């Protein structure tokens, strides 16, 4: 009897696994995706509003205008890409929002549903609109490629035995929220797990290049931005990049190789 139970569990797990996979646009990689989109979005919208309440927004009108302008252009490009590739359904429920937080932290992120935050501390490194488009393209790529869901699914299995998100929120709200925040590269400390994997970082670079190009920014500018980021770091990586990211030089080389592909999308 036990033997059958074991087989049953294996088959059950395999079925769950294959029903819980999705495919990353552009790269075609298949990924674990346990948390339903609607649960992810409602958690995201809630955490985003809370974050904006707890943090001070920049009052610099010029900075705010530029972040919104570049953000909206990149978001439009993403929507265009998804529509052209019959993936528009994946962006269902997205409500794009761009806010800029007064903070020395060199950071930016995008939660599921298009909820973006840029920290003023990253602006001296982005410098230009195209530099900002590199960062926004990269962060939005993490969100639309469902990297947070993937990361969170892994953490939910490891730390909570794969229970449903709603149940986890009821039973262990602090831990669940912590997993969520860390899965999206928010917060200054490496908490329960590292934010994004090396593979996800490279994927976000790749997708981000295409999105920025479609938004009308020259993808070659990504090389300048990552050079500036490398020299600004002084050996210390900013929070979103605390993850297992490739070394600066490897990253820049990889981006260089992807530029010809992105140039095909460049909307001058
Ligand atoms: Zn990243």
């Amino acid at each position: 009897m036990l033997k059958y139970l074991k087989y049953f569990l294996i088959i059950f797990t395999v079925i769950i696994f294959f029903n819980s996979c999705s495919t990353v646009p552009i790269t075609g990689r298949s990924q674990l995706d346990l948390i339903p989109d609607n649960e992810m979005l409602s958690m995201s919208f809630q955490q985003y509003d809370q974050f904006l309440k707890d943090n001070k927004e920049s009052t610099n009108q010029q900075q705010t205008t530029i972040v919104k302008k570049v953000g909206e252009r990149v978001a439009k490009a993403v929507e265009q890409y998804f529509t052209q590739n019959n993936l528009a359904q994946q962006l269902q429920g997205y409500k794009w929002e761009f806010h800029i937080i007064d903070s020395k932290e060199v950071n930016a992120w995008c939660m599921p549903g298009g909820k973006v935050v840029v920290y003023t501390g990253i602006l001296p490194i982005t410098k230009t609109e195209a530099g900002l488009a590199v960062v926004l393209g990269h962060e939005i790529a993490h969100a639309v490629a469902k990297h947070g869901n993937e990361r969170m699914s892994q953490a939910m299995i490891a730390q909570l035995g794969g229970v449903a998100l709603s149940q986890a929120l009821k039973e262990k709200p602090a831990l669940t929220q912590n997993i969520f925040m860390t899965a999206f590269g928010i917060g200054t400390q490496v908490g329960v797990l590292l934010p994004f994997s090396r593979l996800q970082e490279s994927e976000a670079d790749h997708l981000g290049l295409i999105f920025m190009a479609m938004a009308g920014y020259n993808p070659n500018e990504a090389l300048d931005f990552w050079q500036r980021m490398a020299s600004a770091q002084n050996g210390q990586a900013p929070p979103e990049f605390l993850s297992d990211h490739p070394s600066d030089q490897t990253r820049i080389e990889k981006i260089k190789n992807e530029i010809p592909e992105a140039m095909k999308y460049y909307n001058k």
Side-chain angles (χ1 to χ4, degrees):
M1 190 61 203
L2 254 176
K3 201 172 132 198
Y4 289 116
L5 187 66
K6 203 172 114 193
Y7 284 123
F8 174 75
L9 279 176
I10 291 170
I11 291 165
F12 183 72
T13 311
V14 168
I15 290 170
I16 291 286
F17 184 78
F18 282 104
N19 281 322
S20 312
C21 274
S22 53
T23 306
V24 177
I26 299 172
T27 67
R29 180 174 66 87
S30 99
Q31 62 183 174
L32 184 65
D33 176 12
L34 284 181
I35 303 158
D37 284 345
N38 59 344
E39 288 191 29
M40 209 60 179
L41 289 189
S42 82
M43 177 119 181
S44 169
F45 294 169
Q46 206 183 319
Q47 294 296 319
Y48 190 69
D49 289 344
Q50 191 57 47
F51 181 89
L52 293 177
K53 264 185 219 152
D54 297 342
N55 292 274
K56 196 175 149 274
E57 289 196 51
S58 164
T59 48
N60 184 319
Q61 207 49 54
Q62 200 196 351
Q63 288 174 346
T64 312
T65 310
I66 288 180
V67 166
K68 282 203 163 72
K69 178 188 163 193
V70 178
E72 274 157 19
R73 276 174 72 169
V74 175
K76 218 179 121 197
V78 170
E79 279 175 356
Q80 203 186 334
Y81 182 90
F82 275 65
T83 305
Q84 284 167 355
N85 292 278
N86 293 321
L87 300 167
Q89 221 210 329
Q90 290 189 24
L91 298 180
Q92 217 173 31
Y94 263 63
K95 289 180 186 134
W96 298 98
E97 240 185 287
F98 304 90
H99 286 274
I100 177 157
I101 293 297
D102 222 343
S103 162
K104 280 192 196 124
E105 223 176 89
V106 180
N107 203 8
W109 42 257
C110 176
M111 283 184 188
K115 303 297 189 188
V116 178
V117 161
V118 173
Y119 297 61
T120 48
I122 205 169
L123 299 181
I125 305 171
T126 56
K127 271 202 163 91
T128 60
E129 278 189 31
L132 197 54
V134 178
V135 169
L136 290 172
H138 176 97
E139 298 307 331
I140 290 172
H142 274 312
V144 298
K146 294 192 174 186
H147 287 164
N149 194 332
E150 186 177 15
R151 209 70 185 138
M152 203 168 165
S153 299
Q154 290 161 351
M156 297 286 281
I157 290 174
Q159 308 215 8
L160 294 162
V163 297
L165 180 62
S166 49
Q167 192 191 340
L169 269 172
K170 253 182 245 155
E171 287 166 10
K172 292 183 176 163
L175 177 62
T176 311
Q177 274 165 24
N178 195 4
I179 292 175
F180 179 87
M181 298 303 257
T182 321
F184 290 95
I186 302 155
T188 50
Q189 280 158 1
V190 179
V192 281
L193 77 162
L194 294 168
F196 294 117
S197 70
R198 182 176 297 198
L199 186 68
Q200 291 173 326
E201 285 305 335
S202 300
E203 210 163 61
D205 285 343
H206 184 182
L207 269 63
L209 271 187
I210 290 172
F211 297 150
M212 81 177 278
M214 287 178 76
Y217 300 103
N218 190 332
N220 280 293
E221 302 248 6
L223 297 173
D224 304 328
F225 167 78
W226 287 109
Q227 293 287 6
R228 289 199 294 276
M229 183 63 105
S231 40
Q233 279 173 23
N234 274 333
Q236 247 202 329
E240 203 269 311
F241 311 100
L242 278 174
S243 47
D244 185 19
H245 71 87
S247 78
D248 297 320
Q249 221 35 57
T250 318
R251 176 174 225 158
I252 290 167
E253 279 310 312
K254 210 157 176 279
I255 290 174
K256 222 180 250 174
N257 292 333
E258 286 164 352
I259 284 182
E261 182 196 357
M263 284 305 279
K264 290 185 205 150
Y265 292 87
Y266 184 27
N267 182 13
K268 273 178 234 179

